[in-house]
Amino acid sequence: MAVSLQKGQKISLSKEAGGDLTQVKLGLGWDVAQGPQEKKGGFLGKLFGGGTSGGGDSIDLDASCIMFDSNKEAVDAIWFSQLKSKDGSIVHTGDNRTGDGDGDDEVINVDLAKVPANVVSLVFTVNSFTGQTFETVENAFCRIVNANNNAEVARYNLSAQGGHTAMVMAKVYRHNNEWKMHAIGEIASGRTFHDLMPAIKPHA
């Protein structure tokens, strides 16, 4: 049974998964907040790399993963302009243009066994490329899934709605030769992860 994380909580991924966890998927999902003029159940249509939102039933949210070394220096970044880390250990599956279904809207695959030894933490963020605020977002979550059996290991519900345009969601990091997850949930503002770096670095 997946653990439901609270803000600030830290867990051991291997312990929660019941054994070694090397292939994981970070899934991100969200709904468009239902206004009086909006259809029930409308899921997101998103645009990668630019453009504008498709109207009242879509919002352009983008997930990113930034890799940090022990000096809190960014080593690499995986986002809509670079869907794969230079070392090949992290792969963003790309945009879900239709947003159909109730599952993950974006997925970042991580091969923990291949993450370079100098990388000590992976920080995951989400931001609104078109500048729409999280007032238009509801039911947002991130979750860690064991890619070997598709079992959900941990889920963090991102409940903060408001005038921010981004969030530093969670960190997966090395500690005593094991991988852990830290639910961060700090609000921020910015169109891409570059804008979020001042908010990201304290958590790296």
Side-chain angles (χ1 to χ4, degrees):
M1 182 119 177
V3 62
S4 180
L5 296 176
Q6 304 299 314
K7 182 175 178 176
Q9 187 175 352
K10 300 176 182 179
I11 60 165
S12 164
L13 292 179
S14 59
K15 288 177 182 175
E16 296 298 335
D20 286 342
L21 194 63
T22 56
Q23 302 272 350
V24 300
K25 298 189 289 187
L26 185 100
L28 311 167
W30 50 82
D31 293 330
V32 175
Q34 299 300 319
Q37 305 301 319
E38 292 169 353
K39 294 185 293 184
K40 291 286 280 182
F43 237 72
L44 304 183
K46 301 185 301 301
L47 304 171
F48 250 137
T52 58
S53 167
D57 61 352
S58 67
I59 185 172
D60 183 11
L61 291 184
D62 297 310
S64 304
C65 173
I66 304 90
M67 308 171 76
F68 287 93
D69 63 18
S70 59
N71 296 317
K72 295 194 174 187
E73 294 297 326
V75 175
D76 202 356
I78 300 85
W79 60 307
F80 64 73
S81 285
Q82 181 186 305
L83 294 177
K84 187 176 183 179
S85 62
K86 296 181 180 70
D87 57 75
S89 64
I90 301 176
V91 179
H92 195 312
T93 60
D95 190 19
N96 175 354
R97 292 184 179 273
T98 65
D100 288 340
D102 292 334
D104 303 322
D105 286 307
E106 295 195 4
V107 176
I108 298 175
N109 293 303
V110 182
D111 187 339
L112 295 173
K114 291 184 178 179
V115 173
N118 67 312
V119 173
V120 299
S121 65
L122 314 171
V123 178
F124 296 90
T125 67
V126 63
N127 45 270
S128 169
F129 184 80
T130 52
Q132 290 165 293
T133 72
F134 272 62
E135 290 170 330
T136 61
V137 177
E138 63 183 17
N139 303 326
F141 67 86
C142 68
R143 67 189 190 119
I144 290 281
V145 175
N146 184 341
N148 292 322
N149 58 11
N150 283 323
E152 184 176 297
V153 178
R155 177 181 288 252
Y156 180 34
N157 291 318
L158 309 169
S159 58
Q161 283 187 298
H164 53 286
T165 58
M167 180 173 282
V168 182
M169 296 181 302
K171 175 173 72 171
V172 173
Y173 64 101
R174 299 183 201 261
H175 181 71
N176 293 336
N177 296 317
E178 66 173 326
W179 287 98
K180 295 194 169 188
M181 181 179 181
H182 177 199
I184 298 171
E186 292 293 336
I187 62 174
S189 293
R191 296 175 70 235
T192 70
F193 80 89
H194 299 92
D195 302 327
L196 307 184
M197 289 304 285
I200 295 170
K201 274 208 165 188
H203 300 286

